[in-house]
Structure formats: C-alpha cells, structure tokens
Amino acid sequence: MDRPSLRRAVLPLVVLLVLGLLAGPSPAHAATLLSQGRPATASTSEGAGTPASAAVDGDPGTRWASAWSDPQWLQVDLGVPADLSEVTLNWEAAYATAYEIQVSDDAGTWRTVASTTTATGGVQTLAVTGHGRYVRLYGTHRVGGYGYSLWEFQVSGTPAAGSGGTRVTGTQGNWQLTVDGTPWTVRGLTWGPPAGEAAARMPELHAIGVNTVRTWGTDATSRPLFDAAAANGIKVVAGFWLQPGGGPGSGGCVDYTTDTAYKNTMLAEIRNWVTTYRAHPGVLLWNVGNESILGMQNCYSGTQLEQNRIAYTRFVDQAAQAIHAIDANHPVTSTDAWTGAWPYYKAYAPNLDLYAVNSYAHVCQVKQDWLAGGYTKLYLITETGPPGEWEVPNDGNGVPAEPSDQQKRDGYGTAWNCVLAHPGVALGATLFHYGTEGDFGGVWFNITTGGEKRLSWYAVRKLYSGQTGGNTPPVIASMNLSRSGDVPAGGTFTVTAAVSDPDGDPITYTMGYNSKYLNNASGLIPAPFTGSGTFTVTAPQQPGVWKLYLYARDGHGNVGIETRSLRVV
C-alpha cells in the first residue's frame, strides 16, 4: 500500500501543414512536434551547461553550443520513422550562415532536405519534405568566431503509419499522448491483483472504460499482465521500484551518493526488462521510482538528505537515458508523492519525457503548482482518489476518521474533474486502487474490497464510460456506537445503523475488528454481534483502540462498508 504525504513559455510553433506523403489510401494527419524531449547528440559541446539535450527540451532559456570550429552538427532521434514537414531553428547570437538539414534512417547515411549559405540567424522556419527517424543540423560556416548555438531545434511531421508506440506530441501547454498515432487520455486504475489473475480481471476493467493500469514493479512475472492488458485494449504504466519507495514509513535506505553497486544493479534490471518488454503491445510508458524523493526523509536529514535527493534524481535521469537508448517508442516518467519533488526533476532529470505525482486530497492543487513552477513538461497523476488516513482529521479516539462510502465515491469524481481541468498538460490519471484485499487498506481504498463492488467501483465506471444503472451496493447512511471511548474489555455495546438498498434487495450483515492503531496489524478479525439494524456487539478482550467495520451485502456481489473506532478499557 502506497501512502503519499501530502518557465517559462516555449516558442509557439503553429503547424498548418497536412501530410499526404504516404502511399496508398491512408488518410493524412496533422503534423505535430516530434523532437521535443527526444534523445539528442552533437559533434561537440562548448561545456556542461550547453548540452545537445538543451536544444530539444522546450525551454527557450537553455541552449546547445558547439566548439568554436567548422563543421559541427546537432542530431535528434525521433524514436520512429516519420514524414517530415517543418524544421524550426531558434538561434542564439552565434548562428550559422551556411548549413544543411539532413535526414537518416540509421544515423549513418544522410539525405539533405534543406540547405542555405545565406542564413541570417534569429528564428528560421523551414518547410521540408523527407522521411526518416533521425534529423540533424549540419553547420558548415559560422557568423563569427564562436561556435554554433541554438536555443531550440524543433522538428515537426507525422509518425509513419505502422510505426507504433507511445508519443508525447504538441507544444508547451498544448500536449497530448498518442498511441499508434491516436490520442490517448489515461483513464486508469492502479493494479493490485497478481499478474496471473489479469486474464480473468481485465475484461471487467475494459467493460467499465478503463484503458490503462499502473504497476510499481516490472520483472519476469509481468508478462501475463501485459498479455491480458493488450488482449483487452488496455495499456500498462510499467513501474520500476527504487528504494526508499513508498513515501513516509517505507524502509530500504540507499545512499545514492555512494552506493554505486545498488545503482548499477538497478540499471541492469531496468535495461533487462525494458529490453524484454519494449516491443510488447501492452506497454504504455515506463515509470522509474515511486515516492522516493519524499521517502528519503525517513533515511536522512539536513545536507545529507538534500544530497541524496539530488543524487537519486540524477540516477532517475540516468535510468531514463538508458531506457531511451533501448526503447525509443515509449516515454519515461518518474512518480513522487508531492509536487515539491518536481523542482528536482526539472533541475536534475532533463531526460524524463513527463512528470508524475501521487496526490489525493491535494490533487486539485496540482495544476496551480505546475503553473507556479514554470514547468515545461506535461504530467500524469499516478495515484489519486478520496483522502488517505494522513489527510483526514482524527476522531475522539485519535484515529483518522475514514470517509464514508458515499464520500469516497464523490472523492473519485472530484479528483477526476480536477485532472480534466488541466487539458493539454495533465494526461489523465490512474485512480487508486483496483485491488482485492479486504484488510485495512483494502477497505479504505479498494473499489473492489475482497472482490465485492463498492460505490466507488460504480463511480469509476460512470467517470470512464458514462454507464449508470444496474444493481448497486447497499448504502450505509449513518453508524453510531452507544459508547466509543470507554468500552469494557469483553463487554457489549450497541451499534445503530441506517442502511438501505437502492434496488430493494435483502441485506445481510457481518462485522470485523482491526487493531492497526493498537499493534499495526492490517487484517481484520470477526466481531461477534446479534441483531439487524440495531446490533449488540461484543468488544475485544485486549484494551486499546480498535476499528469496527460494518458490512452490508445485497447478495449480488455488492457491499457497503462503514467504520468507527472504539477504545477498549
């Protein structure tokens, strides 16, 4: 169970050309920006502050600069073959008077698609016609004694039919994700069951409009999940777990400033599984790490904490470069538990294609945080939903007051609407959580607790597919304990609950106890009781704070659950 804690504008590029270069009856598509965030290399670089990647990062305040000699070149890998329509050069003062724009299929044999010997610098937009995966600027004469220097190198066109893969397209603040050339808004859920159950469960997710699931780890056991996802038109955000993952309370402290062996091991793992699954049709994108920047506060403090956060983010960037070198068809992101991690990504992980964040009660603040941070990359919400126990007020026993089923249902709708409120930047979300556990976390977060459908399951179905109706769960409107702060050990108390079923189905009840706030247990044990509607319940024998769970079932696979705490004395 993951527990999150709580600039510039780029040069606009308006593409008006429509390509009709493909043979056969394939329809033409509007050209899009293909080069932004893609792997870039150059013949030379003037220094560490002017790398090749700075010319394709979408930030007009960063630049590539070459050594002070002729000739020099800058090259970008588009990831897939494309039909090209336009190249834009945004020169710094050190521009080329003579250069060629060249295209290649293999970065070895080049074809010239545009050339000049009389360029005057500034912003130059060139209409080109060509086909290839690699595009480069080849400069042969400079305006002065300095090198070549570009703020931005932008290549636009259309990925060739059948090239496949996932791509980030568009311009600053007007991006979209495409899968095989088709726009893809992530309508997702985080995935909890074993991969071996995916074949049986994916049809259900497809039926309620889910098109994406998110995982936290990728290894040899992942193939059945990828296979079942692809068979049902669903894609996977394939995760790689890095220590100390999971935010506050998670273990596994690694010193990223010194532990070279761990980093080498994880890079080898990442390379291995990306190589294994890069061509699998179930993959949407790769996600490196989960909540580690926040989680490091459990391991370090002061200067050591800051140094490890920087070193970790640089390692994430190294992993992104390694993935890009193997798989040019799927973007790379990294998830943390707060947008306070994004400045680290911005400064130390330029090779990420997009950002990701887990955000629950504060998800509606993410858009403003993005705007205030002056970010130049889009983002994906990788966990969200109703507030977690770290975000709600405590009750009279000092226990986080768990939202009701109705509040959880509404929480998913609120979160999804806030994601949709940032079009062109927010790619969508994988809501938390599709799991089958019936423990403490399973009751709080799962839309199918113990395999039974909650009101939240029906809320997600409506959000993603527009479907309503059908047999729905019983609703527990209220639940009250006759005493909750001083229940005698082994004694009895009364529970009154207002419960109704929208479909008029007969309701059956069970109850359970959880002792998380007594001994950190996550499971539930039966709670003895008699009655219906008004219940006489027997308290546990062990003193301390417990949670009591009331289950109302309709006999059709639906369940309503409400909880209250009690202090046994």
Side-chain angles (χ1 to χ4, degrees):
M1 175 63 62
D2 295 283
R3 301 290 167 83
S5 175
L6 0 145
R7 273 172 175 148
R8 295 165 145 120
V10 298
L11 175 73
L13 174 61
V14 181
V15 181
L16 301 175
L17 301 179
V18 177
L19 294 181
L21 303 178
L22 299 176
S26 300
H29 300 281
T32 55
L33 179 60
L34 303 175
S35 55
Q36 188 159 304
R38 300 304 307 166
T41 54
S43 51
T44 61
S45 177
E46 185 179 15
T50 56
S53 60
V56 293
D57 63 1
D59 186 344
T62 61
R63 63 188 177 94
W64 164 69
S66 75
W68 300 1
S69 62
D70 292 317
Q72 300 289 341
W73 53 264
L74 172 71
Q75 169 185 315
V76 62
D77 177 3
L78 303 180
V80 294
D83 295 308
L84 308 180
S85 59
E86 193 170 81
V87 172
T88 297
L89 307 171
N90 184 0
W91 292 102
E92 195 249 356
Y95 63 88
T97 58
Y99 62 83
E100 296 179 1
I101 303 298
Q102 301 175 331
V103 179
S104 175
D105 299 319
D106 57 7
T109 302
W110 295 92
R111 302 176 296 277
T112 299
V113 295
S115 64
T116 182
T117 57
T118 58
T120 57
V123 178
Q124 299 167 354
T125 299
L126 312 172
V128 299
T129 300
H131 179 89
R133 171 172 169 170
Y134 303 88
V135 182
R136 78 174 179 179
L137 164 77
Y138 189 82
T140 56
H141 194 271
R142 295 161 290 135
V143 70
Y146 296 100
Y148 299 86
S149 183
L150 275 172
W151 295 112
E152 283 296 298
F153 179 49
Q154 296 179 320
V155 179
S156 297
T158 304
S163 59
T166 308
R167 300 194 64 84
V168 173
T169 64
T171 56
Q172 173 73 13
N174 189 31
W175 293 290
Q176 67 177 2
L177 202 65
T178 62
V179 173
D180 299 334
T182 301
W184 188 276
T185 298
V186 175
R187 293 180 169 85
L189 287 168
T190 54
W191 174 264
E197 297 180 10
R201 296 187 178 277
M202 284 293 177
E204 171 196 347
L205 298 190
H206 174 76
I208 65 173
V210 171
N211 66 7
T212 307
V213 296
R214 182 224 170 170
T215 69
W216 292 267
T218 302
D219 56 24
T221 68
S222 301
R223 187 172 295 278
L225 175 64
F226 289 132
D227 289 346
N232 288 275
I234 293 173
K235 298 286 186 178
V236 180
V237 176
F240 291 107
W241 189 261
L242 295 175
Q243 293 182 358
S250 296
C253 294
V254 170
D255 191 332
Y256 283 88
T257 67
T258 60
D259 198 336
T260 302
Y262 175 80
K263 291 188 286 187
N264 287 342
T265 297
M266 295 312 300
L267 270 181
E269 284 287 301
I270 290 170
R271 289 190 176 105
N272 178 30
W273 299 118
V274 170
T275 300
T276 300
Y277 296 120
R278 62 185 174 183
H280 198 290
V283 176
L284 180 70
L285 53 87
W286 306 104
N287 189 8
V288 181
N290 180 75
E291 301 186 2
S292 294
I293 294 177
L294 179 67
M296 282 182 182
Q297 67 188 11
N298 303 307
C299 304
Y300 309 106
S301 61
T303 300
Q304 192 177 17
L305 171 60
E306 183 66 10
Q307 289 175 343
N308 262 274
R309 283 176 167 170
I310 292 171
Y312 166 83
T313 312
R314 285 177 168 155
F315 176 72
V316 167
D317 191 62
Q318 188 179 359
Q321 293 181 64
I323 293 171
H324 284 145
I326 298 168
D327 179 7
N329 290 328
H330 300 100
V332 184
T333 190
S334 180
T335 286
D336 220 275
W338 58 331
T339 54
W342 286 0
Y344 292 91
Y345 291 147
K346 183 179 181 181
Y348 305 110
N351 286 285
L352 290 177
D353 298 292
L354 62 146
Y355 301 151
V357 67
N358 299 335
S359 186
Y360 292 75
H362 299 285
V363 66
C364 295
Q365 181 64 30
V366 173
K367 176 180 178 180
Q368 184 56 42
D369 291 348
W370 187 89
L371 293 170
Y375 297 107
T376 57
K377 294 188 179 181
L378 66 177
Y379 64 84
L380 175 66
I381 302 294
T382 40
E383 290 179 26
T384 191
E389 61 174 324
W390 60 94
E391 297 175 308
V392 298
N394 290 341
D395 64 14
N397 291 318
V399 170
E402 184 166 344
S404 67
D405 274 8
Q406 301 93 303
Q407 290 170 325
K408 292 174 183 177
R409 172 199 64 199
D410 296 343
Y412 286 106
T414 298
W416 181 244
N417 288 333
C418 287
V419 173
L420 296 183
H422 204 182
V425 180
L427 292 177
T430 48
L431 304 176
F432 193 88
H433 176 59
Y434 182 74
T436 58
E437 305 89 346
D439 58 6
F440 176 93
V443 172
W444 197 304
F445 286 110
N446 288 353
I447 66 171
T448 51
T449 298
E452 297 175 298
K453 297 183 179 73
R454 309 277 295 278
L455 288 177
S456 296
W457 185 93
Y458 291 91
V460 171
R461 182 186 67 165
K462 181 179 179 181
L463 293 171
Y464 287 168
S465 70
Q467 299 176 61
T468 58
N471 194 290
T472 57
V475 176
I476 304 175
S478 65
M479 177 182 175
N480 297 291
L481 278 60
S482 60
R483 57 199 304 178
S484 60
D486 60 347
V487 181
T492 61
F493 59 97
T494 301
V495 174
T496 57
V499 187
S500 61
D501 186 85
D503 309 290
D505 295 321
I507 301 172
T508 60
Y509 299 97
T510 59
M511 292 192 192
Y513 283 121
N514 168 260
S515 58
K516 175 182 172 65
Y517 300 104
L518 181 64
N519 56 17
N520 205 35
S522 61
L524 275 66
I525 61 175
F529 72 95
T530 59
S532 178
T534 299
F535 308 91
T536 300
V537 187
T538 301
Q541 292 288 345
Q542 184 176 357
V545 175
W546 294 75
K547 284 190 75 172
L548 175 68
Y549 292 72
L550 171 64
Y551 294 76
R553 296 182 172 88
D554 65 357
H556 296 281
N558 299 311
V559 64
I561 308 175
E562 189 65 47
T563 73
R564 292 292 184 272
S565 75
L566 64 151
R567 184 180 298 275
V568 176
V569 297

